[in-house]
């Protein structure tokens, strides 16, 4: 898993906040994903203004869209 947050997203404080929120959201879903997957998250500029709940909902939607849920996850 990797997070890419460019300088376009804002100053270091904003980029670090985005990274921390994404890591926390991913921590909740990690156990429900298929094993041995390489995932790269690329934050876009609107992520700087998004709340944790919005980022988590978007992450959940993208994981579902890419069919990365494990069969046992129930998602």
């Amino acid at each position: 898993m990797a997070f890419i947050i460019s300088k376009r997203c804002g100053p270091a404080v904003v980029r670090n906040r985005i990274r921390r929120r994404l890591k926390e959201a991913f921590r909740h879903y990690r156990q429900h994903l298929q094993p041995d997957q390489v995932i790269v998250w690329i934050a876009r500029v609107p992520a700087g203004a998004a709340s944790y709940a919005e980022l988590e909902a978007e992450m959940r939607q993208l994981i579902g869209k890419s069919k990365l849920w494990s069969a046992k996850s129930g998602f």
Side-chain angles (χ1 to χ4, degrees):
M1 179 214 33
F3 295 103
I4 299 173
I5 297 103
S6 74
K7 288 187 178 183
R8 290 185 206 168
C9 290
V13 173
V14 174
R15 293 192 313 268
N16 289 333
R17 184 182 317 125
I18 294 169
R19 185 176 291 111
R20 284 192 310 268
R21 288 178 176 177
L22 289 173
K23 282 183 176 183
E24 180 63 19
F26 185 77
R27 187 179 69 82
H28 291 288
Y29 295 127
R30 179 179 22 188
Q31 63 195 16
H32 302 290
L33 298 176
Q34 296 174 10
D36 300 328
Q37 295 293 319
V38 176
I39 301 173
V40 177
W41 299 98
I42 302 173
R44 301 293 182 205
V45 175
S51 68
Y52 171 76
E54 292 171 328
L55 291 174
E56 185 178 25
E58 187 70 23
M59 183 176 283
R60 182 182 179 121
Q61 177 191 7
L62 290 171
I63 291 171
K65 196 176 198 181
S66 61
K67 300 177 182 170
L68 291 174
W69 297 119
S70 69
K72 298 176 185 179
S73 70
F75 284 103

